[in-house]
Amino acid sequence: QKEVEQDPGPLSVPEGAIVSLNCTYSNSAFQYFMWYRQYSRKGPELLMYTYSSGNKEDGRFTAQVDKSSKYISLFIRDSQPSDSATYLCAIGTGTASKLTFGTGTRLQVTL
Amino acid sequence: EAQVTQNPRYLITVTGKKLTVTCSQNMNHEYMSWYRQDPGLGLRQIYYSMNVEVTDKGDVPEGYKVSRKEKRNFPLILESPSPNQTSLYFCASSSRAVQETQYFGPGTRLLVL
């Protein structure tokens, strides 16, 4: 079993839709939860970062963590074509630079 | 502008020919890492460094070497590249204060024939 599981997609939604992206993890030692966005031919860039269960909101993006279920989600409201990218969840234990990434979900937002 | 730079961005080489991919950051970060990204496997850490002269293996270190002689630079060395090292490579850096928020370079696409 992989430490972090993420559906690769692709996921195609119309502009304006609410998008839900999810990851599950197996190790309860994970403490830090991140979402990265990666555009084609670019490096990943950090979108959201949280270390506690519950919701964290930033503009159109909401990160949700449920430690009891070992489940994390990223919601995108009012999705735009510019949101078309691959979204990677990343989970950390708090030790030096040790992150475990999901394989990424490719999202396409169509006009 | 805060950034992580990598060179070269694209490289085609042949089996056994030593190569180095450079990585440099201008944010005075202590931590630097190298990852490879492969379809279906995601990002996997190759090596990381917590500071100058301090390096350690990640999840897939075989066939790679690194060095950290200066804080800003963290080169990745393939002494004898093989076709299974064909991949997309990313360098990343982060500060000691928030280790998990890593800043990634633009990537180096390597093809080993």
Side-chain angles (χ1 to χ4, degrees):
Chain A
Q1 182 188 8
K2 287 182 182 177
E3 283 194 294
V4 180
E5 299 270 7
Q6 185 175 10
D7 188 331
L11 179 62
S12 183
V13 301
E15 183 179 8
I18 297 174
V19 176
S20 172
L21 304 166
N22 310 294
C23 285
T24 58
Y25 62 96
S26 57
N27 188 347
S28 57
F30 287 133
Q31 302 173 35
Y32 302 91
F33 307 92
M34 287 134 287
W35 286 94
Y36 283 81
R37 178 175 61 195
Q38 185 177 18
Y39 289 115
S40 181
R41 300 189 190 89
K42 301 282 189 183
E45 57 178 335
L46 182 68
L47 260 183
M48 302 283 288
Y49 166 80
T50 183
Y51 57 88
S52 59
S53 280
N55 294 352
K56 181 177 181 179
E57 193 172 315
D58 184 1
R60 296 185 295 111
F61 299 91
T62 300
Q64 188 175 80
V65 175
D66 182 348
K67 287 188 178 181
S68 61
S69 302
K70 300 190 184 68
Y71 192 87
I72 66 172
S73 301
L74 178 70
F75 298 97
I76 308 174
R77 289 185 299 280
D78 188 24
S79 55
Q80 303 294 310
S82 59
D83 294 327
S84 298
T86 296
Y87 290 80
L88 302 140
C89 63
I91 307 180
T93 60
T95 57
S97 291
K98 183 57 181 171
L99 287 181
T100 302
F101 284 84
T103 52
T105 299
R106 188 156 61 91
L107 171 67
Q108 181 74 35
V109 181
T110 58
L111 291 168
Chain B
E1 180 191 355
Q3 60 181 355
V4 179
T5 56
Q6 295 178 229
N7 282 293
R9 294 289 313 281
Y10 303 92
L11 180 59
I12 301 173
T13 190
V14 295
T15 299
K17 186 176 181 182
K18 180 179 178 180
L19 67 91
T20 299
V21 184
T22 64
C23 173
S24 183
Q25 50 94 3
N26 63 0
M27 295 170 278
N28 200 36
H29 283 166
E30 293 84 4
Y31 297 112
M32 298 186 75
S33 297
W34 275 103
Y35 294 87
R36 58 180 289 174
Q37 188 175 36
D38 302 288
L41 297 176
L43 277 163
R44 294 178 292 166
Q45 190 180 55
I46 303 170
Y47 268 95
Y48 66 95
S49 169
M50 291 182 281
N51 216 324
V52 175
E53 303 291 0
V54 182
T55 63
D56 206 349
K57 296 177 181 178
D59 298 316
V60 288
E62 295 77 21
Y64 303 95
K65 283 176 58 177
V66 293
S67 69
R68 187 93 180 272
K69 292 183 169 55
E70 302 167 285
K71 196 173 186 179
R72 63 182 291 126
N73 296 322
F74 190 43
L76 178 70
I77 303 156
L78 284 71
E79 294 271 3
S80 182
S82 62
N84 65 13
Q85 292 178 298
T86 292
S87 188
L88 179 58
Y89 291 87
F90 289 102
C91 180
S93 74
S94 58
S95 69
R96 186 191 303 276
V98 195
Q99 305 167 17
E100 293 73 18
T101 55
Q102 299 197 14
Y103 295 84
F104 284 81
T108 295
R109 191 169 291 278
L110 172 64
L111 174 61
V112 183
L113 301 172

